Amino acid sequence: MPSAIQREPIMSTTKDRITKLTNCRLVKGDSLVEQDLWISLTSGKITHGQDAFYGQRQIPDTVIDLGGRIVAPGFIDVQLNGAHGFDFSILPDDMADYSAGVRLVNKALVRTGVTSYLPTLTSQDSEVYQKSLPFLAPSGFLRLPGDGAESLGAHCEGPFLSPTKNGIHNTEFLQSAPRGFADLEDCYGAGNLQARSKAPNMHPAPIKMITSAPEIGNITSAIPEITMRDIVFSIGHSECTYEQASAAVEAGATMITHLFNAMRPLHHRNPGIFGLLGAAGSLPRPYFGVIADGIHLHPTCVKLAFNAHPDGLILITDAMRFAGLADGIYNWTNGDRIVKRGALLTLEGSDKLAGSSITLAECVSNLLNWADATIPEAIKAVTSTPARMLGLALTKGTLSSGADADLVVLSEDRGERGNVKLIVDQVWKFGVKVHDNQGI
């Protein structure tokens, strides 16, 4: 690939500081479009180039030639349990150490192309949720590029899960919610479930998504109360039938957590949760997460899911705190230990999968090669699709004017057998370059 060249700064005629990325291919819908991208450093947002140049008579302060590289919106990971030795579900004695751990993950994560994510809590007792959730609340209002990836709110995966589909979640902490939403308030803390305030200076609720089995207790009846608070309800770790899953969608569920994993398998007489992807009529098809690491799912299953509902597929890592660490045996929660061998994580003494240690960029490359997806289709699964699922399509996951200037600059490595690997060359956060492995 041609080497990228940064030109000398040009004096701007306005107070707004503008950067123009040129000689690049922008991810726009299902296409790669050869087009410049204008970024306002003042606002940290993408600006309309023609309007700025012709309407407001602005010229860029800096022009960066990307040498034909791909520019995509910043990646969004909606299920990440931890990384680089830090686990969101483990409380230290001093919560100042917890805050430091979150900051460590944020700065490490952004180097992989992930600019926004949902820090994920596994099934724990109520004390863990109520102490940790304030630290995991949405952080983008600060608009500090140097902080790295921003939290879009926490993903509470549990403890309202099926005890027979618990995966590595400790069954001692699972709850059944016989009182419905009241049990969720007792567990997570009512303040962590508060509806988002529309006041400009108020912070949103810490929780953004809840994964639960809709068939247990009175969970299905609680779904409307959850979603009216701008919290996504996701079906997961569940034994529910197709009919029960359909009832959850009718109640407001819009997401499925790690499709195929920790749920009833597809059966020709009872398609179960997977059947929602083929639902017809008035029932909306939900979004669904897929761990494309070649361990949780066979590549053919990834292709099957993609072909069934390509606009609903969201790639996730489900990464654990062991991501970024060397192979070995590591202590986990409640006296359990995790064995790490490459990308494979298992609960010691069993073959139970314990999350992953793959990066989201690697997941995108796998989807490209396994599902015959185009580059824009694969990138959508970590940008515009999760942004739509979270209700953030105007500000995240897009290169449209007015969106946050969270960007990933990618190059392509094409193998002898035709496989494509996307490489993260640069990452921008709120209009500022925060990672560059090419010296562009």
Side-chain angles (χ1 to χ4, degrees), residues 212-411:
S212 179
E215 76 276 12
I216 66 167
N218 283 307
I219 286 294
T220 297
S221 66
I223 294 175
E225 186 73 25
I226 293 169
T227 58
M228 72 177 290
R229 295 163 182 254
D230 200 21
I231 296 171
V232 174
F233 183 90
S234 185
I235 302 170
H237 288 273
S238 170
E239 287 275 13
C240 70
T241 64
Y242 172 71
E243 289 73 22
Q244 290 170 321
S246 297
V249 171
E250 289 179 329
T254 55
M255 176 70 178
I256 301 170
T257 294
H258 44 53
L259 186 71
F260 291 113
N261 297 118
M263 61 184 61
R264 282 189 179 188
L266 174 66
H267 189 276
H268 60 282
R269 285 194 295 270
N270 183 2
I273 297 170
F274 185 84
L276 296 174
L277 273 62
S282 60
L283 192 67
R285 291 192 292 178
Y287 299 94
F288 59 95
V290 164
I291 310 171
D293 61 356
I295 297 170
H296 283 78
L297 294 179
H298 190 280
T300 298
C301 289
V302 175
K303 184 174 184 179
L304 178 65
F306 176 76
N307 289 336
H309 185 21
D311 290 335
L313 188 147
I314 296 174
L315 291 171
I316 61 173
T317 62
D318 198 19
M320 303 289 284
R321 69 181 177 93
F322 315 106
L325 301 182
D327 288 358
I329 300 176
Y330 295 92
N331 292 326
W332 195 47
T333 59
N334 312 310
D336 293 327
R337 301 207 300 175
I338 300 295
V339 180
K340 182 180 186 297
R341 297 188 184 93
L344 177 64
L345 299 177
T346 55
L347 191 65
E348 186 180 35
S350 76
D351 59 356
K352 285 189 174 183
L353 296 177
S356 78
S357 59
I358 196 170
T359 68
L360 210 51
E362 291 170 329
C363 290
V364 173
S365 295
N366 287 340
L367 182 63
L368 271 173
N369 297 309
W370 297 346
D372 298 324
T374 65
I375 289 176
E377 286 175 334
I379 289 175
K380 279 170 58 178
V382 296
T383 55
S384 61
T385 305
R388 282 189 289 111
M389 185 271 291
L390 295 169
L392 301 172
L394 296 179
T395 56
K396 301 294 184 184
T398 177
L399 299 181
S400 298
S401 177
D404 287 337
D406 297 347
L407 314 171
V408 182
V409 178
L410 302 160
S411 57

Side-chain angles (χ1 to χ4, degrees), residues 77-101:
D77 193 347
V78 302
Q79 189 165 353
L80 183 122
N81 307 284
H84 293 272
F86 183 77
D87 190 321
F88 296 117
S89 298
I90 298 178
L91 298 182
D93 293 334
D94 186 348
M95 290 304 288
D97 293 334
Y98 190 90
S99 179

